[in-house]
Amino acid sequence: MTKVYKKTSGNGSLCLYLGRRDFVDHVESVDSVDGVLKIDPSGLNGRKVWVQLACAFRYGREDLDVIGVSFRKDIWIKRIQMYPFEGTKPPNTPMQEALLKKAGDQGHPFTFDIPVHLPCSVSLQPAPEDAGKPCGVDYEVKAYIANEEDNIDEKVEKKDTCRLIIRKIQYAPAELAAGPKADINKQFITADKPIHMEVSMEKELYYHGDPIPIKVKVNNETSKVVKKIKINIFQITDVVIYAADKYHKCVLNEEFGDQINANSTFEKEYSVTPLLVNNKEKRGLALDGRLKDEDTNLASSTLLIPDMDKQMQGVVVSYKIKVILMMGGGLLGSLTSSDVTAELPLVLMSPKPAGEISI
């Protein structure tokens, strides 16, 4: 084991141990969260100990929570009573066996199974002046000492808790769909014949940071001139947990000075790369869930099981590419100019790390 993640409560009675903080959603199954909780019974004073895993959507800043409106909504929560332990213990995983060697005799293993319908970790990029934790979906493992499991009248002291943020992530699937293609015919009022554009990609899925090649073919049978070609990539973030909010953020905007004359054909492949580093100032941009201030990237596309309840997803992310032919105006200038636009879907994800086993 290369690294152990450990968090101790303020009173020293509890200590959480995890062997990793990233848990993979394989679409049809999710890695179990297996850890160990070290408990010193001498500091409990007759109280009990629970460990919980919560998936929550944070939709406001903590410093704005002044009128009693909760800034955190639990999407899913599961608790296990750890001391005194109730129920039957499943066999220890190899990870738990390794963690128990670190925790010693007071170590108690726990396992959570995450349902497949829950969202992946995602955060919405705050503005530079925003304080506190960003909006988005996060997962938290928390151990706490209390008299009752979940009593709103019982205040659990901060010193009686310890917590670790984890991430639920998806990697790009091994089987890739065929590349998308779009055909557009546009007829202008002032022209007898149309302009035809065909836009295609070899595949639909690309990894974060990799160049995306886009083939553009144009047959311009009109008397108009294409002045230049513009390529945009949009991130569509569908916040479904509290309202039907949909955010369209342009994460790439590039113009190419290729001119296509009247009654001519044109063919070229363009390469574009949407990067977070070029979008640092855009508030509300969806990012892959981050741990503390670690670097991250644009949010990965959300892969959904067919017929899955989108309401449970919290935040659903997708991308689309727009290829635009910027047309020169006719006799009346811009009044008769009309750009030609084709759209392609794009899936952006991270590759499965070497050594990751597919389920």
Side-chain angles (χ1 to χ4, degrees):
M1 185 181 296
T2 54
K3 190 169 186 180
V4 172
Y5 298 94
K6 177 182 171 185
K7 192 60 78 75
T8 305
S9 62
N11 61 17
S13 296
L14 304 178
C15 188
L16 264 177
Y17 292 84
L18 289 176
R20 55 180 172 151
R21 294 178 78 173
D22 285 346
F23 296 85
V24 181
D25 178 349
H26 304 274
V27 181
E28 294 183 354
S29 65
V30 185
D31 290 350
S32 295
V33 179
D34 50 349
V36 165
L37 179 63
K38 183 178 179 180
I39 303 171
D40 180 0
S42 63
L44 300 184
N45 300 321
R47 294 170 297 168
K48 300 174 182 177
V49 177
W50 284 268
V51 64
Q52 73 175 33
L53 175 60
C55 168
F57 182 74
R58 190 184 301 279
Y59 52 93
R61 287 166 29 209
E62 294 183 36
D63 56 342
L64 297 181
D65 185 30
V66 292
I67 56 171
V69 177
S70 175
F71 57 85
R72 182 182 169 91
K73 178 179 174 62
D74 286 325
I75 299 172
W76 176 86
I77 192 164
K78 184 81 178 287
R79 298 182 182 91
I80 301 170
Q81 183 174 316
M82 298 297 294
Y83 192 91
F85 186 79
E86 294 180 350
T88 56
K89 291 185 179 181
N92 292 341
T93 65
M95 179 76 76
Q96 287 168 331
E97 291 290 353
L99 293 173
L100 284 167
K101 290 175 183 174
K102 300 271 185 186
D105 294 340
Q106 293 181 326
H108 301 263
F110 62 85
T111 302
F112 290 103
D113 293 321
I114 304 176
V116 293
H117 61 264
L118 294 184
C120 286
S121 301
V122 61
S123 62
L124 303 183
Q125 183 162 264
E129 69 274 11
D130 285 349
K133 296 178 181 177
C135 294
V137 172
D138 65 32
Y139 287 79
E140 179 187 80
V141 180
K142 177 175 118 177
Y144 62 97
I145 303 169
N147 289 306
E148 294 183 46
E149 178 180 346
D150 185 28
N151 183 352
I152 56 173
D153 296 325
E154 180 181 6
K155 180 169 174 54
V156 178
E157 300 289 339
K158 196 170 183 181
K159 64 182 176 62
D160 290 334
T161 66
C162 53
R163 58 188 73 199
L164 280 169
I165 296 291
I166 63 172
R167 289 190 295 199
K168 176 172 174 279
I169 55 177
Q170 285 180 329
Y171 293 129
E175 294 181 13
L176 302 180
K181 183 177 170 181
D183 278 300
I184 299 295
N185 262 315
K186 179 131 185 179
Q187 182 77 49
F188 297 102
I189 299 172
T190 55
D192 293 335
K193 292 185 176 180
I195 184 168
H196 176 254
M197 173 167 58
E198 180 186 293
V199 180
S200 63
M201 299 191 299
E202 284 186 6
K203 54 185 181 176
E204 187 177 15
L205 190 151
Y206 287 87
Y207 298 144
H208 294 292
D210 283 359
I212 301 168
I214 303 166
K215 289 181 180 174
V216 178
K217 292 182 184 178
V218 178
N219 182 12
N220 183 12
E221 296 185 86
T222 74
S223 57
K224 294 175 176 288
V225 173
V226 177
K227 295 187 297 181
K228 55 188 172 183
I229 294 175
K230 184 160 77 169
I231 296 179
N232 289 342
I233 297 181
F234 288 90
Q235 180 194 75
I236 300 101
T237 305
D238 200 353
V239 182
V240 295
I241 189 72
Y242 65 93
D245 284 356
K246 208 170 231 188
Y247 302 102
H248 287 70
K249 302 279 183 181
C250 183
V251 295
L252 182 135
N253 181 12
E254 290 193 26
E255 292 187 356
F256 302 90
D258 296 306
Q259 186 167 300
I260 306 172
N261 293 323
N263 298 302
S264 67
T265 59
F266 173 86
E267 186 172 337
K268 188 172 180 179
E269 184 173 272
Y270 296 94
S271 183
V272 295
T273 310
L275 296 169
L276 175 57
V277 70
N278 300 327
N279 293 277
K280 286 286 191 181
E281 303 304 313
K282 289 181 181 156
R283 183 179 187 173
L285 195 66
L287 315 177
D288 272 345
R290 63 171 73 195
L291 301 172
K292 292 188 178 176
D293 294 319
E294 289 181 11
D295 284 339
T296 186
N297 40 254
L298 295 169
S300 296
S301 300
T302 307
L303 299 183
L304 297 173
I305 295 175
D307 304 322
M308 181 182 284
D309 180 9
K310 277 179 70 176
Q311 292 297 318
M312 289 294 291
Q313 285 301 299
V315 177
V316 176
V317 177
S318 60
Y319 292 87
K320 69 178 175 185
I321 297 171
K322 278 190 177 182
V323 180
I324 305 160
L325 303 183
M326 312 289 285
M327 306 299 295
L331 295 173
L332 299 176
S334 61
L335 290 175
T336 57
S337 69
S338 181
D339 299 335
V340 181
T341 303
E343 292 187 6
L344 292 175
L346 169 67
V347 178
L348 267 184
M349 298 193 78
S350 297
K352 194 186 297 281
E356 276 285 340
I357 300 169
S358 295
I359 289 181

